[in-house]
Every structure is written in structure tokens, then in C-alpha cells.
Amino acid sequence: MDSRGNGAHHDLTLALMERSAHSLTPTFQALAQQSWQRPADIALRQTVGRLGREGEKQMMAATDGVNTHRGAIWGAGAAGQRRRDARRHGQRAAGCGDRRRAGEAAGCRGPKVFSKGLRATHRYQVPGAREEAQQAFPHVMQRALPQLRLSRLNGSSETQARLDALMAIMTSLTDTCVLSRAGLEGLDAMQDGARAVLRAGGSAHPAGQAALAALDEQMLALNASPGGAADLLAATLFLDRIESPYFKH
């Protein structure tokens, strides 16, 4: 869903997404204030969880019950906490137990509702948003951020670099939004199509643009939307922003 139209989301408009985003400004401010220079422990997890649930209520009130940014609330907050802890300890990756504890302490358990995404993880026996957080966001840290910066170095525009980062996520993510709407056929189409875009040189190249247009058309035909990948792209851009030399700490 973008300025061209609502894509596979018949209940969304760009104006609704913008209204939702503005409604969450106090939530993100509160998350930042409460998390600043605090250890990732149980107390912080409880605080982040409470603020996240309050933010969801504000979002739902602003959108008349349409889920627009739930993934952004939980994903960006948890990714930021995880990244800060990794940098504090001078490590790019932790052991499995450490990653799990960091993910949970950052509030990655998220809302306690049996969402469409959670239903998809149970039905298809695949990892979902919770597992992504517990594993320290590998699609953000190992795929999207490196691709974003590589595309910039290769001369891509900022929009093109961000599209390439999204494709990098989509190449292997088990996106439960896609699974919920289009099953395994949709997931295979998403992953194969994203790989084709990057193999063709990315969105800065004519062949990559053609592959991206073909992927867009195929996903629309399947009524599939890579919402999980979009949430991780938001977390990617957030981390890229705070690590920028131009960001004022």
C-alpha cells in the first residue's frame, strides 16, 4: 500500500496510514524515554509491553479498529533495544540463550492476542515475528541493513536502496501476512520474485525494475501483502537512522 493505491489491503488508505502513524507519536516518545539507558530486564519488558498495548489502543481508536502499525510498535521497539545491547557489549551476535533473553526482555512477546500471523505460524509450522525477535532480527541485521548500504554505495537512490533492502528481507522471510492471505503459493512467489529483483541488479537497474513490477503484479493477483517484511524494513530504517553520523544523540 502506497501513494499508487491500497494494493491488497482493501481496508487501508494512505490517509488512514498517516493518521495512524501520527496517533503513535506519543507511544514512540514514551518508549524512547522509558528505555533510555535502562538494562533489558523484566521490568523494562513489562514497561515496554504496557506502553505497546496502550499504543495499540490509540492506534485502533484512530483507525476505527483497523490494524495499521502493530508490527511497527513491537518490531521497531524491540529491534532498537536489541541493537543497543549488542553495541554496549561489543558483539554483533549473541548465543541462542542470550538472544532469546534479549528479545523477551525487549518486549518481543508483543500483544497477547491470537493474531492472523500467529495462526499462520501454527498452521504452517514456520517461525514468525516472535522467533525473529528472539533470534536478534537476522533479517534486519544480516540482510536488510547490509543490502541498504551496499545499494547506496553502488549509486542507487535512497528510494531504490530501501526497495532493495525490502527485497533482501523478502528473499527468505516466512512472512505470516503473506501466508495468511495466499498460503505457501504466495510465500514462494514472494521469495522467488524478490530474489529475481536482486539477481537482476536491484531496483536501480531496468531489469530489476521489470522484475519488481512483475512481482508487484503477481502479489496483487494473489491478494498477498508482505506486511511482515514491511515491518522489518521499518525497523531497518530506524536502526540505520540512529547509527547515522548525522543523527544527534
Side-chain angles (χ1 to χ4, degrees), residues 16-212:
L16 181 67
M17 293 291 288
E18 290 175 343
R19 185 163 73 246
S20 170
H22 286 301
S23 77
L24 288 170
T25 298
T27 296
F28 287 119
Q29 289 176 336
L31 286 168
Q33 291 169 351
Q34 292 295 322
S35 300
W36 183 249
Q37 294 184 336
R38 283 184 57 180
D41 55 14
I42 294 297
L44 178 58
R45 189 189 76 193
Q46 293 172 342
T47 298
V48 168
R50 174 179 56 80
L51 292 173
R53 287 187 290 274
E54 291 173 357
E56 276 192 38
K57 291 179 181 178
Q58 294 171 355
M59 175 191 73
M60 291 296 191
T63 64
D64 294 325
V66 179
N67 172 26
T68 46
H69 289 102
R70 178 180 289 154
I73 296 171
W74 299 100
Q81 181 67 48
R82 169 60 197 156
R83 183 62 177 149
R84 189 201 69 180
D85 289 346
R87 292 183 68 186
R88 174 184 295 173
H89 293 97
Q91 52 192 21
R92 297 288 294 186
C96 293
D98 291 338
R99 286 199 302 262
R100 176 183 57 79
R101 287 189 290 272
E104 291 179 356
C108 299
R109 287 178 176 173
K112 299 179 184 299
V113 295
F114 204 70
S115 64
K116 291 181 180 178
L118 192 54
R119 290 190 184 96
T121 64
H122 285 212
R123 178 180 178 182
Y124 295 102
Q125 295 296 295
V126 297
R130 181 177 300 177
E131 290 77 16
E132 179 76 16
Q134 290 173 343
Q135 293 170 25
F137 293 89
H139 283 88
V140 173
M141 307 304 298
Q142 299 169 24
R143 292 186 179 272
L145 276 171
Q147 182 63 60
L148 178 71
R149 290 161 182 172
L150 176 62
S151 293
R152 287 172 178 161
L153 286 173
N154 289 338
S156 297
S157 70
E158 185 61 21
T159 296
Q160 291 165 343
R162 292 179 179 190
L163 283 170
D164 290 349
L166 178 63
M167 293 301 106
I169 295 169
M170 290 166 57
T171 59
S172 63
L173 183 71
T174 53
D175 194 315
T176 55
C177 294
V178 172
L179 282 170
S180 295
R181 287 173 167 265
L184 292 173
E185 178 188 2
L187 185 67
D188 288 342
M190 180 195 82
Q191 293 179 347
D192 291 343
R195 293 187 193 109
V197 174
L198 294 180
R199 280 198 304 266
S203 60
H205 296 266
Q209 293 169 10
L212 180 59

